[in-house]
Amino acid sequence: MAVRSTKRGAERGPLSGEWDVIVCGASFAGLAVARELAGSGARTLLLDRYDIGERQTSACGIPTAWLHAMGLEESGRQEFGELVVHTPHGTSRYELPWTFSTFEYRQLCQLLDDQNDARFETAKVDGRSDETMHTDRGDVTAPLIVDALGWRRVLSRDGFQPPDAPLSRGLEVHPEGGSADLEIWIDRRYVPAGYGWRFPAAREQRIGVGSFDPRFHVRDTTELLAEDLGRDRVRYQGNWIPHKMRHATEDGVFFCGDSAGHCLPLTAEGIRTAFYFGIALGRELRAVVEGRQTREEALRSYAEFADSHEWKFRWLLRAQRLLPRLPARVQRALIRVAGRKRFVDWAFGHYLRIAPPEFAGSANDQVGPSEQQAHAEHAFPAQGDLLESEHA
Ligand SMILES: Cc1cc2nc3c(=O)[nH]c(=O)nc-3n(C[C@H](O)[C@H](O)[C@H](O)COP(=O)(O)OP(=O)(O)OC[C@H]3O[C@@H](n4cnc5c(N)ncnc54)[C@H](O)[C@@H]3O)c2cc1C
C-alpha cells in the first residue's frame, strides 16, 4: 500500500534522503513504474507537484481490456463497442473488435497508487545533477531516476518548446449530461489537421479538439464543437501532446510516457502506452534492485525495447501527416471503405497490439528483459505486412 504524504503550505517541510529509485511524475507512466516495483524491497520515492489524481491530464479513454489487465475496472464510466466517425460528407459507424472505455481520472490514479509501496511526496521537480534530484523542497538522491513528467521532459538536457517541437495541441471541455456514442469529427471546420471528439463518461462528456499542427489554436473550435452539440463550455482541460518518440534513456535517466514521446501519433492515445512502457521500465528497474542486472544493462535493455517500437510510431506519424492533406471527399471515401468489418478487425487488432493489455500481467510477474524484447518483436505485423496492406 502506498504511503501518501500530500503536503501543502507550511506542512511542506524539507525533503531529503537516499532512495533506490526516484520516480518523478505520478500520473499514468510514473504510477505504472511504481506498480512494478511493489514487493521488490526497493525504497522508491514517487514525486509529483500535485496530489495523486488531482489534475486530469486527458479525456481518459482507453481499451477496456487495459482497465481489466491493471485491475482498474472500478474507475470505468462508460463502455463503447462502436466508434462513430463524422465528416462533412457523411458519418460511418465502426463496429470495433474490442471495446473502448472512459474512466474517472482521480479514481483510476488512486486505484493504481494502491498497487505500489512507494513513498509519495508532493514536490516540484526542478532538475538533476548526476544522482541528485533538485526539487522545490530540497534534494534527494538515487542511482535509478525515472522521468515520467510528461511532454516537458524536465530531466533532459535538450530543451523542447512548442510550437517548434513535434507536439500536438489538445483542449477539451467537460459539460454535464449523458450521451451514448464515442464520436470523432474529421472536419476542417474544427481543425485543418487533427480531429474533434466527444467521449461520454456516464453523467459527463469530454468534448475537445486536437490539432497535429501546434500553431493552430483549438480554443475557438473546441467551443464551436461544444456549441454545435448544444453543450456548456465548462471545465477546460488541455495540454501539449507529443507525436514523436524521443530517446527512452539519456545520461543515466530513464524516460517513459509522454516524456519519451510514447503517445501514439494520429490517434493521440497515450495512456495505455504510458502503462505499457512504464511496466516495461518498472520490470527493468526491479531486475536491478533484485541484483539480476546492472543499471547500465537496464539502461541498454529498456532503450532497445523502446527503440524496437519506433517504426510503428513512425508509420502512424506518416499517416498523421498524410491524411489531413487529402481532399475531404477522398477522406470520406477512405473512412467509408475502411469501415468494412474485416478491415476494422484487422486494423484495430494490430493497433491494439502495439501496446497489448496482456503485457500488464499481474503486478509481480517476473518477466525478464529478454522476454519483453521477444514480446515487442511479435506484437505487430512485420513491416512488409503493413506495406502490403498499404498497397492493397
Ligand atoms: C486534451 C487531451 C485529451 C487526451 N485524451 C486522451 C485519451 O482519451 N486517451 C489517451 O490514451 N490519451 C489521451 N491524451 C494523451 C494522454 O493524456 C497522455 O499521453 C498521457 O497523459 C501521458 O501520461 P504520462 O504519465 O506520461 O504524463 P502526464 O499524464 O502528463 O503526467 C505527468 C505528471 O507529471 C507531473 N509533473 C509535470 N511536471 C512536473 C514537475 N516539474 N514536478 C513535479 N511533477 C510534475 C504532472 O503533475 C503529472 O502528474 C490526451 C491528451 C490531451 C491533452
Side-chain angles (χ1 to χ4, degrees):
M1 180 74 157
V3 181
R4 292 228 181 92
S5 182
T6 307
K7 298 196 174 70
R8 295 183 191 279
E11 280 188 306
R12 285 170 51 97
L15 198 59
S16 63
E18 289 173 16
W19 302 83
D20 296 318
V21 187
I22 299 178
V23 180
C24 305
S27 181
F28 306 112
L31 288 169
V33 175
R35 171 190 195 256
E36 294 305 308
L37 288 164
S40 68
R43 288 166 309 144
T44 304
L45 177 63
L46 189 55
L47 297 175
D48 201 291
R49 60 182 160 184
Y50 303 120
D51 195 5
I52 302 283
E54 189 177 328
R55 291 280 174 110
Q56 182 162 337
T57 55
S58 85
C60 297
I62 191 168
T64 312
W66 264 100
L67 289 183
H68 291 291
M70 303 284 281
L72 303 169
E73 305 85 336
E74 247 181 87
S75 64
R77 286 296 176 270
Q78 206 166 330
E79 188 171 356
F80 309 90
E82 288 183 340
L83 173 67
V84 181
V85 186
H86 302 283
T87 74
H89 302 290
T91 290
S92 292
R93 263 179 192 272
Y94 287 10
E95 199 187 315
L96 302 176
W98 38 267
T99 67
F100 202 78
S101 286
T102 47
F103 61 84
E104 214 264 307
Y105 180 73
R106 181 185 291 265
Q107 190 181 7
L108 178 132
C109 289
Q110 287 171 350
L111 287 169
L112 195 49
D113 187 41
D114 287 345
Q115 298 178 25
N116 71 58
D117 52 20
R119 167 135 197 132
F120 175 71
E121 292 283 347
T122 45
K124 180 171 171 288
V125 173
D126 293 324
R128 178 190 71 103
S129 334
D130 297 322
E131 295 185 357
T132 303
M133 296 290 318
H134 308 299
T135 79
D136 65 345
R137 293 177 54 200
D139 290 352
V140 279
T141 62
L144 300 171
I145 293 176
V146 175
D147 180 333
L149 293 165
W151 68 269
R152 253 181 235 280
R153 197 175 162 103
V154 175
L155 301 182
S156 169
R157 273 168 290 128
D158 303 330
F160 203 62
Q161 277 307 317
D164 300 318
L167 294 165
S168 300
R169 219 183 244 276
L171 180 71
E172 59 185 17
V173 289
H174 294 179
E176 286 175 1
S179 175
D181 291 323
L182 183 73
E183 298 167 274
I184 63 169
W185 281 262
I186 298 174
D187 187 334
R188 293 189 172 106
R189 243 179 106 233
Y190 300 123
V191 58
Y195 64 95
W197 65 84
R198 166 154 67 173
F199 286 10
R203 276 167 289 173
E204 155 182 299
Q205 309 187 10
R206 295 145 192 180
I207 296 171
V209 173
S211 169
F212 304 142
D213 175 0
R215 287 181 178 78
F216 182 82
H217 292 259
V218 289
R219 187 175 177 112
D220 287 351
T221 55
T222 296
E223 292 181 345
L224 177 65
L225 179 56
E227 202 177 292
D228 288 351
L229 296 173
R231 298 289 163 173
D232 292 339
R233 296 165 295 177
V234 288
R235 291 182 285 279
Y236 288 77
Q237 188 275 122
N239 206 346
W240 297 100
I241 312 170
H243 56 236
K244 198 166 181 198
M245 255 195 173
R246 307 181 72 186
H247 293 301
T249 61
E250 186 192 311
D251 205 15
V253 177
F254 298 86
F255 295 84
C256 77
D258 275 9
S259 79
H262 287 155
C263 190
L264 295 167
L266 184 65
T267 59
E269 213 203 326
I271 299 171
R272 76 177 149 114
T273 48
F275 284 164
Y276 175 76
F277 287 101
I279 289 168
L281 173 54
R283 287 174 182 161
E284 297 288 354
L285 300 180
R286 188 184 183 102
V288 178
V289 171
E290 293 177 346
R292 290 183 279 122
Q293 67 176 347
T294 64
R295 184 184 87 134
E296 281 56 44
E297 283 167 338
L299 282 162
R300 212 167 29 247
S301 177
Y302 175 62
E304 277 170 16
F305 175 79
D307 286 351
S308 68
H309 295 72
E310 195 275 333
W311 68 270
K312 302 163 199 171
F313 281 66
R314 199 166 359 106
W315 269 97
L316 287 171
L317 184 55
R318 277 184 195 155
Q320 171 176 309
R321 286 181 178 143
L322 174 72
L323 294 176
R325 290 196 199 135
L326 302 174
R329 284 192 184 281
V330 177
Q331 285 178 342
R332 169 70 197 135
L334 276 178
I335 286 162
R336 209 179 41 229
V337 171
R340 288 190 190 136
K341 181 89 181 88
R342 266 188 67 200
F343 185 81
V344 170
D345 287 353
W346 179 89
F348 279 79
H350 286 311
Y351 175 67
L352 184 65
R353 283 200 290 280
I354 298 175
E358 310 83 68
F359 191 72
S362 72
N364 291 318
D365 272 358
Q366 296 296 302
V367 179
S370 54
E371 285 96 328
Q372 296 205 134
Q373 194 63 38
H375 167 86
E377 277 154 18
H378 292 104
F380 209 65
Q383 289 207 41
D385 292 355
L386 270 188
L387 284 168
E388 265 171 39
S389 69
E390 284 266 316
H391 296 298

